[in-house]
Amino acid sequence: MQLTHFLLTLACLQVAWAIPAPDNNLRGLLQVPVGRPAEWFGQQPISGHPPFSPGHRDPYDHKVDTIGDDRQPLPIRNGDGTTMMGPRNRDRERQNPDLVRPPSTDHGSMSNMRWSFADSHIRIEEGGWTRQTTIRELPTSRELAGVNMRLDQGVIRELHWHTEAEWAFVLAGKVRVTALDLEGGTFMDDLEAGDLWYFPAGHPHSLQGLGENGTEFLLIFDDGNFSEESTFLLSDWLAHTPKAVLAENFRVSPEKFDNIPTSEKYIFQGSNPGSIDQEKPRTFKKSKTQFTHHLLAQEPVETSGGRVRIADSSNFPVSKTVAVAHLEISPGALREMHWHPNADEWTYFKKGRARVTIFAAEGNARTFNYMAGDVGIVPRNMGHFIENLSDDEPLEVLEIFRADRFRDFSLFQWLGSSPRRMIVENLFPNDPKAAAEFLKKIEGAEKDPIKDTI
């Protein structure tokens, strides 16, 4: 009788643990993702228990799309760990599931490599705003700094210049850019989503939102210590110059400057411009330098899992200090394992959700998760990949570098180009069957920047 009672009690405890009460930390763990096949974790079948539950077993550390699958991560992995009892930021946890429950391959200490523009302070101005991600927000962002800026219709980012070079990607809308080159030539162009511009350090320029909704863009500066507040502004300079000197410089009477701005204008509402031909000054001298580039108009490199476009000094000659790769990663696909020998990677996630593991040598590796509007850093020479977390939605990414050319090494291509004997003795000394299958896969391997993983 006592034995029967014990067995019944044990069975009840097992059921209670497998099907948690509605108000505890395990709520919803047994929900099965709608529309997923039985082996939705990948090619290798694993336990039937859902992710983040005590019974879940995944020795291969497959991805989990907590947002797409509506799951709440917990620090439970292959039977280790337990639930969380204290205060929680559940939204943050779902955005960063691989920090809550890291893959078993993560190890050691590594500086933070992730920041979201959502956490950056916004400066609000008349008809626009700006926010930045620099070394102050993300200490690993040493080589580049980023600024996200919005200008409404007719709004002007006033005439200015920087001590750093400025590179930009138009995220939405339309914008007019103007600049002056070193030979006194004027440059004017109208851009839209997917276009680039680049102004070398010290080159004066201006920006204005066009169309019904103006524009929004990502600015990149070739120094992580850059601050948008340190820009050289036309109104700021004149406000801090004696009017007598202004009169002498422009050969007009001093009182003509009585009503100029007394401080910087920075971003302000302007009138809607006419066409470029209408706006050209009477003494217009066309610049011989092409400061803009239509990136998305390029013919892409088609890969097994997406598309790649690259813009650097080879096809955008003025861009001497910034190179970019624009990636379209298909659902479930992978930006292959690789590294960059010439610069840190400053990654901007434009669309979708991603998982990235960074290998830093000496047994150090850490996994980070990214969403649209996030910034990632990968120091030069550190191995990494970019995995599309979603099996349904595409991932759009910009890989940006302080370099004149885009350069990377493919792990797949390297091994396919290496002596087969060395690979077997290095990786499969005691598993000839696995060695044979692996060698067959990498035979004649060519670089495939974005891989279809099926």
Side-chain angles (χ1 to χ4, degrees):
M1 186 69 179
Q2 289 181 337
L3 178 60
T4 303
H5 183 268
F6 171 78
L7 291 175
L8 287 173
T9 302
L10 180 61
C12 290
L13 287 173
Q14 288 176 330
V15 171
W17 183 238
I19 308 176
D23 60 346
N24 70 10
N25 280 321
L26 295 176
R27 177 182 296 170
L29 286 178
L30 296 187
Q31 294 174 355
V32 176
V34 177
R36 295 284 190 181
E39 297 178 1
W40 66 282
F41 285 99
Q43 298 176 353
Q44 295 292 335
I46 57 177
S47 70
H49 296 271
F52 313 118
S53 66
H56 180 72
R57 297 294 184 271
D58 178 11
Y60 303 113
D61 295 307
H62 290 81
K63 66 183 182 181
V64 179
D65 183 7
T66 50
I67 292 178
D69 296 329
D70 193 21
R71 295 191 181 280
Q72 189 66 44
L74 284 168
I76 299 173
R77 185 183 63 213
N78 295 330
D80 293 329
T82 187
T83 59
M84 306 174 85
M85 297 176 63
R88 300 172 62 181
N89 187 329
R90 292 175 180 267
D91 290 339
R92 279 290 198 224
E93 291 170 8
R94 292 176 67 232
Q95 291 178 18
N96 300 278
D98 288 295
L99 292 182
V100 178
R101 189 206 62 184
S104 59
T105 49
D106 278 13
H107 182 264
S109 60
M110 183 182 293
S111 299
N112 179 45
M113 302 290 179
R114 177 192 176 277
W115 181 264
S116 176
F117 268 110
D119 293 326
S120 295
H121 175 267
I122 289 186
R123 173 175 174 174
I124 299 176
E125 296 288 332
E126 181 186 12
W129 52 258
T130 182
R131 54 187 177 179
Q132 57 187 350
T133 298
T134 71
I135 199 169
R136 290 170 293 280
E137 288 78 24
L138 182 58
T140 49
S141 182
R142 300 183 183 95
E143 295 192 345
L144 297 172
V147 173
N148 181 202
M149 187 174 291
R150 172 82 164 92
L151 303 176
D152 213 343
Q153 181 180 19
V155 173
I156 296 172
R157 173 68 169 97
E158 75 161 298
L159 283 76
H160 65 282
W161 71 97
H162 310 279
T163 57
E164 301 83 5
E166 175 182 304
W167 179 98
F169 178 87
V170 182
L171 297 170
K174 297 181 179 180
V175 59
R176 176 166 297 171
V177 299
T178 70
L180 184 71
D181 68 23
L182 292 171
E183 285 71 44
T186 299
F187 180 85
M188 303 175 71
D189 199 6
D190 291 344
L191 305 178
E192 56 187 27
D195 291 341
L196 311 177
W197 72 75
Y198 180 93
F199 301 127
H203 281 53
H205 56 279
S206 67
L207 313 167
Q208 185 170 20
L210 300 178
E212 183 178 352
N213 296 312
T215 184
E216 185 172 339
F217 43 84
L218 173 71
L219 299 170
I220 297 292
F221 297 89
D222 58 2
D223 185 348
N225 289 289
F226 171 83
S227 172
E228 180 66 15
E229 310 302 324
S230 64
T231 300
F232 295 97
L233 300 169
L234 173 63
S235 58
D236 192 28
W237 190 13
L238 267 59
H240 292 88
T241 302
K243 290 185 174 59
V245 174
L246 294 177
E248 293 171 357
N249 190 81
F250 294 102
R251 295 178 180 174
V252 296
S253 59
E255 59 268 17
K256 293 294 188 280
F257 300 99
D258 285 347
N259 296 314
I260 63 172
T262 57
S263 61
E264 65 180 37
K265 298 195 71 172
Y266 192 71
I267 292 175
F268 63 95
Q269 182 67 56
S271 58
N272 292 328
S275 68
I276 288 179
D277 285 338
Q278 292 172 329
E279 295 279 310
K280 289 178 181 177
R282 186 174 59 85
T283 56
F284 179 79
K285 175 185 173 183
K286 184 177 181 180
S287 173
K288 297 178 181 179
T289 303
Q290 181 66 33
F291 291 100
T292 57
H293 180 73
H294 303 291
L295 177 61
L296 296 191
Q298 287 181 207
E299 191 70 24
V301 175
E302 298 288 346
T303 72
S304 66
R307 300 190 293 180
V308 179
R309 294 177 175 87
I310 294 172
D312 58 19
S313 61
S314 66
N315 58 357
F316 187 19
V318 71
S319 188
K320 300 295 186 186
T321 63
V322 179
V324 66
H326 177 271
L327 313 176
E328 297 175 61
I329 304 175
S330 299
L334 178 79
R335 168 69 167 105
E336 67 169 345
M337 297 170 71
H338 67 284
W339 69 95
H340 304 279
N342 61 333
D344 293 355
E345 178 181 314
W346 200 98
T347 316
Y348 179 77
F349 294 84
K350 185 175 181 291
K351 182 180 181 181
R353 300 179 295 279
R355 175 170 79 156
V356 177
T357 295
I358 302 171
F359 169 61
E362 298 182 337
N364 291 308
R366 181 163 293 182
T367 302
F368 299 90
N369 303 107
Y370 300 90
M371 300 180 62
D374 288 352
V375 172
I377 302 294
V378 182
R380 69 180 69 197
N381 291 314
M382 289 191 182
H384 59 288
F385 60 82
I386 304 175
E387 185 177 22
N388 188 342
L389 277 176
S390 175
D391 292 326
D392 306 304
E393 301 176 14
L395 174 66
E396 187 176 352
V397 179
L398 295 173
E399 294 181 351
I400 308 171
F401 307 87
R402 190 176 72 184
D404 66 329
R405 294 292 300 275
F406 172 87
R407 300 291 192 211
D408 71 345
F409 280 110
S410 160
L411 177 62
F412 185 65
Q413 184 183 42
W414 177 40
L415 295 185
S417 304
S418 299
R420 298 161 66 87
R421 174 191 55 82
M422 294 181 65
I423 294 171
V424 171
E425 293 176 0
N426 198 145
L427 297 178
F428 306 100
N430 302 310
D431 195 344
K433 184 177 180 180
E437 184 175 348
F438 185 80
L439 291 176
K440 185 177 180 180
K441 288 292 185 182
I442 65 170
E443 186 174 2
E446 295 292 336
K447 184 184 291 187
D448 188 17
I450 304 174
K451 290 182 177 296
D452 183 348
T453 57
I454 300 176

